[in-house]
Amino acid sequence: EALGEMLGMDAYFGDFMPYQGGEYGMAVLSRLPVRRVENIRLPDGEEPRTGLEIEVAIGPEGRPLSIVGIHLYRTVEERVAQAETLSEMLDAREHPVVLAGDFNSFRGDRVISALRSRDWFVIDKDGSSMTFPADDPAREIDFVMLRPASAFEVVEHRVIDEVLVSDHRPLLVVLRLW
């Protein structure tokens, strides 16, 4: 909520689990009008996980777009189950979807391959693709994916050189919706 206030954005939170007297989970911020919010429960692994979906209205026509934040976790088997469950639930969306976050997976591994096989398009980053750890990035485990790819034009997608806000480098993506 505080980050949303500082940025002049609406903040939405989906809890995974209680943590240190509060809650641990996923947040999505938006300046766009939000029509619907859903905290999609994913298969539990060592820790519970969700995908936080906000459906926003785009352009003067108010076309729907879903933006889903995720943080997949732990073993490859757990992450594949989480990714497949989320993708299956998002199959019902008749409008474009952006899926973004910490996949804890490498480009081309079983998790990313499972999502690609379900028609998710992984956006290539301009410049360095390394996102983790923030202070000396050596791995690409954070991605932005689109479905259907034909609904979007990728104007820009890059890693931001920022080491203080998270243990991951943030991503910037600029999309044009067709």
Side-chain angles (χ1 to χ4, degrees):
E1 288 178 14
L3 186 56
E5 285 177 23
M6 287 188 288
L7 297 172
M9 301 173 92
D10 294 322
Y12 301 91
F13 180 75
D15 66 311
F16 295 166
M17 64 187 174
Y19 185 74
Q20 296 182 347
E23 291 181 318
Y24 180 70
M26 177 63 53
V28 178
L29 305 175
S30 179
R31 285 190 181 103
L32 300 170
V34 174
R35 292 182 171 159
R36 186 178 58 80
V37 178
E38 184 175 353
N39 196 28
I40 302 168
R41 188 79 184 168
L42 302 178
D44 288 341
E46 183 176 306
E47 294 179 355
R49 294 292 142 152
T50 67
L52 181 60
E53 176 187 13
I54 64 169
E55 182 182 311
V56 298
I58 299 292
E61 312 87 21
R63 293 182 297 154
L65 169 70
S66 284
I67 302 165
V68 183
I70 56 120
H71 179 194
L72 303 182
Y73 189 65
R74 207 59 181 143
T75 68
V76 171
E77 291 74 22
E78 289 171 3
R79 292 191 312 271
V80 167
Q82 292 164 357
E84 288 180 341
T85 297
L86 181 60
S87 185
E88 193 172 292
M89 294 190 77
L90 294 172
D91 284 348
R93 306 305 178 262
E94 295 180 2
H95 56 266
V97 180
V98 176
L99 177 62
D102 178 358
F103 289 75
N104 270 313
S105 303
F106 300 107
R107 187 180 289 270
D109 76 3
R110 282 180 42 209
V111 176
I112 304 303
S113 295
L115 288 164
R116 283 181 190 240
S117 74
R118 299 180 75 86
D119 295 325
W120 288 99
F121 174 73
V122 181
I123 305 175
D124 291 326
K125 297 171 183 76
D126 302 323
S128 174
S129 61
M130 301 301 129
T131 59
F132 184 82
D135 60 349
D136 188 20
R139 294 180 289 230
E140 180 186 27
I141 60 174
D142 303 278
F143 299 95
V144 177
M145 299 183 184
L146 310 172
R147 191 166 74 180
S150 61
F152 299 91
E153 175 188 354
V154 179
V155 176
E156 180 180 8
H157 183 43
R158 64 183 170 87
V159 178
I160 297 174
D161 184 13
E162 168 56 58
V163 299
L164 296 177
V165 298
S166 172
D167 58 338
H168 296 246
R169 296 260 173 123
L171 300 177
L172 170 70
V173 63
V174 178
L175 302 170
R176 188 169 291 126
L177 190 62
W178 297 112

